[in-house]
Amino acid sequence: MTAARAAAIVWRKEIRAEMRTKELLQTTVAFVVIVVILFSFAFQPATVQARIYGPGLLWIALLFASSLMLNPSFAKEQSNDTIYALRMAPVSPFAIYLGKMLANFSFLIITEAVLLPVFAVLYNFALWPIIGRLALVLLLGTFGLAVTGTVFSAVATQARMREVLLPLLLLPVTVPLLIASVEATAALFAESPALDRTWLAVLIAFDVIFFAAAWLLSDYLLEE
Amino acid sequence: MKTRAISLAILAALFLFAGYAVFFIAPDEATMHAIQRIFYFHASSGWAAMEGTAIVFFANIAYLRTRTPKWDWLAVSAVEVSLAFWSVVLVTGPIWAHPVWGIWWAWDWRLTLTLILWVLYVAYLILRTLIADFERRAAASAIFGIFVFLGVPLDYLSIRIFRTQHPQPVLFGGPDSGLAPTMLKVFLFCGFLMTLLMIFLIAQRYRVESLRYRTEELKIVADEQEELRASARANVQVRGVALKK
């Protein structure tokens, strides 16, 4: 079985398990919406201020959401003892990582698809003219989040207090991703929207470097 | 024991001389005067911290490849010592910045990068306290350490672009380029000395870590023997009861 096929199977299993309960998605979506609403009390969400703070708070909300959402990715395998089945499966550990990572990526994209209209209405942004370019920034940023977050989710599984540990590991490592995504989003929300190539390049560099690192280190992720 | 005492004595003597050199041999800086002298220790600590950070990365990779505990001992020792040096950098920096810049802290790229690395190393040490099993702890922290190190160039790049696109609230009056020859000599001496201190501290910490590891091993052996003895005693008692009957 090729790695791609095995990864697709793991991905399908994750999606099916989630769609049966939808526990993770409904909790995360509710969480990000609450965060976005609460942020409106930190400053006046008038158009001028929203343009300054909007991109930052959008990404902070997503970062917090992902640090919560990615935690069960490996933790549930541990508590159900299904991690042994994954380890024994005759596929490479990278395929398992890839399937899990793509599943987390999909969940985050679904969350963003729900969050974005709410965000645009509450903070008075016109999404339609920039939707394609914004989607590109969101995809690149979310991919980086899923890549690093899934690795740290596996690392944190074996630790005590893993729910608190995962944000502690993930948030400082994603600093370059946060800066680049916020700046690229801010350039799109500006008076004359533009796609900032420099920040896109930083995002792509982040994705490529950490995806390559995850690939090289994947053998050690599922170890006992 | 003997080498430790000797190297400690040599280091102490060299540091006394460095203190003398910083205050009496190095010339006075034209605009900043006495406060500039903190740079000899500030910058050389940063130097040692960077070297320590490189050692951590090397040790992390070596551990994952070889699985010998000694690389994990080296990694944790280097993280702790580097964290100490980064802390020196973060404390001496604002002491200098307050009289010169007029503020304790500026979100300049160097300061921001140092602070992020400091936070990441604290996270690394917290991660280690939360995993009890040796091999799991070593592998998990090695993976995290490698990710931290790979992130440094990206942090540098993004913060650099980010902070140069924005106006800086900093009145930078320091020696931007070029040091007076005596200053350079004193500075190089301090940098060399801090590296020696770093190596000495890592060696001490490494020894403690290896002893801790052996103690854990001995504890496991002792527990096993205790269990064996207890079950033997229980056997004797059961037989004793049977004989009385």
Side-chain angles (χ1 to χ4, degrees):
Chain A
M1 188 158 25
T2 64
R5 218 177 106 64
I9 290 172
V10 174
W11 179 80
R12 263 210 304 280
K13 163 213 157 245
E14 294 284 315
I15 299 285
R16 192 181 298 151
E18 176 55 31
M19 285 310 157
R20 287 201 178 141
T21 62
K22 303 193 186 64
E23 279 172 351
L24 193 64
L25 276 172
Q26 64 192 20
T27 324
T28 317
V29 167
F31 173 78
V32 280
V33 171
I34 289 171
V35 168
V36 165
I37 293 172
L38 284 186
F39 264 127
S40 73
F41 303 124
F43 60 91
Q44 286 296 320
T47 313
V48 184
Q49 287 201 327
R51 279 197 205 294
I52 303 173
Y53 299 116
L57 88 83
L58 179 69
W59 278 99
I60 293 279
L62 287 176
L63 217 58
F64 283 178
S66 60
S67 70
L68 294 175
M69 181 188 240
L70 297 174
N71 193 48
S73 184
F74 282 94
K76 67 174 186 237
E77 308 281 0
Q78 192 89 356
S79 50
N80 296 336
D81 282 338
T82 42
I83 190 97
Y84 298 106
L86 281 179
R87 276 195 200 116
M88 284 196 305
V91 295
S92 70
F94 177 64
I96 293 169
Y97 165 80
L98 190 63
K100 290 235 169 226
M101 190 274 283
L102 290 175
N104 290 331
F105 179 68
S106 316
F107 297 147
L108 282 170
I109 292 292
I110 294 172
T111 310
E112 285 163 14
V114 179
L115 173 69
L116 217 52
V118 179
F119 175 76
V121 168
L122 290 181
Y123 289 86
N124 196 20
F125 283 112
L127 281 186
W128 197 244
I130 52 164
I131 191 73
R133 288 172 286 178
L134 187 61
L136 179 65
V137 174
L138 281 172
L139 284 176
L140 286 175
T142 311
F143 187 79
L145 270 181
V147 164
T148 45
T150 309
V151 169
F152 293 160
S153 168
V155 166
T157 332
Q158 303 170 339
R160 295 186 301 277
M161 311 256 297
R162 58 185 171 219
E163 291 84 4
V164 196
L165 181 62
L166 180 60
L168 190 69
L169 302 180
L170 181 61
L171 298 183
V173 169
T174 50
V175 163
L177 181 114
L178 178 69
I179 296 176
S181 317
V182 169
E183 291 298 303
T185 313
L188 288 175
F189 284 167
E191 289 290 339
S192 50
L195 197 62
D196 192 322
R197 299 241 167 116
T198 319
W199 291 117
L200 276 192
V202 174
L203 277 180
I204 292 171
F206 186 97
D207 292 355
V208 170
I209 289 177
F210 283 115
F211 188 60
W215 175 56
L216 289 172
L217 296 176
S218 59
D219 282 353
Y220 309 111
L221 283 182
L222 281 176
E223 270 177 2
E224 211 160 338
Chain B
M1 188 66 209
K2 205 175 174 190
T3 44
R4 192 154 32 124
I6 293 171
S7 41
L8 194 59
I10 294 174
L11 270 175
L14 286 174
F15 262 96
L16 277 178
F17 176 70
Y20 174 77
V22 163
F23 282 105
F24 299 107
I25 297 179
D28 198 46
E29 210 272 337
T31 52
M32 290 183 282
H33 302 296
I35 190 66
Q36 181 266 342
R37 296 180 194 273
I38 203 171
F39 253 141
Y40 295 110
F41 291 122
H42 172 77
S44 52
S45 299
W47 204 343
M50 278 185 257
E51 288 161 350
T53 305
I55 294 176
V56 175
F57 180 61
F58 178 72
N60 282 333
I61 291 182
Y63 177 77
L64 284 182
R65 289 191 69 98
T66 62
R67 293 304 168 114
T68 26
K70 64 176 184 186
W71 291 115
D72 182 63
W73 306 340
L74 180 64
V76 65
S77 314
V79 165
E80 283 187 10
V81 172
S82 305
L83 188 63
F85 277 110
W86 286 125
S87 307
V88 170
V89 172
L90 283 175
V91 170
T92 51
I95 293 176
W96 172 86
H98 193 249
V100 176
W101 288 347
I103 40 173
W104 291 110
W105 183 267
W107 289 98
D108 164 72
W109 68 266
R110 287 188 198 81
L111 284 73
T112 314
L113 189 59
T114 312
L115 188 62
I116 292 172
L117 253 178
W118 191 86
V119 169
L120 282 165
Y121 273 176
V122 171
Y124 181 103
L125 291 177
I126 292 176
L127 168 68
R128 290 186 66 93
T129 63
L130 294 177
I131 304 179
D133 180 66
F134 173 81
E135 279 176 15
R136 284 182 178 183
R137 179 175 60 217
S141 56
I143 292 171
F144 182 65
I146 291 172
F147 267 69
V148 165
F149 192 83
L150 290 176
V152 170
L154 286 167
D155 280 314
Y156 168 78
L157 191 70
S158 56
I159 297 168
R160 193 78 203 263
I161 303 170
F162 184 48
R163 292 299 172 195
T164 42
Q165 278 184 344
H166 291 58
Q168 291 193 22
V170 173
L171 315 159
F172 192 69
D176 242 352
S177 55
L179 284 172
T182 328
M183 278 186 177
L184 186 65
K185 270 181 211 153
V186 174
F187 173 69
L188 287 177
F189 177 69
C190 287
F192 169 71
L193 198 51
M194 283 295 178
T195 305
L196 283 188
L197 179 66
M198 178 204 67
I199 293 169
F200 176 75
L201 288 176
I202 289 180
Q204 298 313 308
R205 184 62 187 80
Y206 179 89
R207 197 174 141 267
V208 172
E209 194 63 26
S210 71
L211 287 175
R212 184 180 288 171
Y213 182 82
R214 287 199 189 113
T215 323
E216 287 299 317
E217 276 186 335
L218 288 177
K219 256 189 212 160
I220 292 170
V221 174
D223 282 349
E224 277 168 3
Q225 286 180 346
E226 183 57 39
E227 258 169 48
L228 277 178
R229 229 172 282 141
S231 65
R233 227 177 286 137
N235 260 341
V236 170
Q237 279 173 353
V238 170
R239 251 180 243 153
V241 172
L243 280 179
K244 268 181 198 165
K245 275 185 182 171

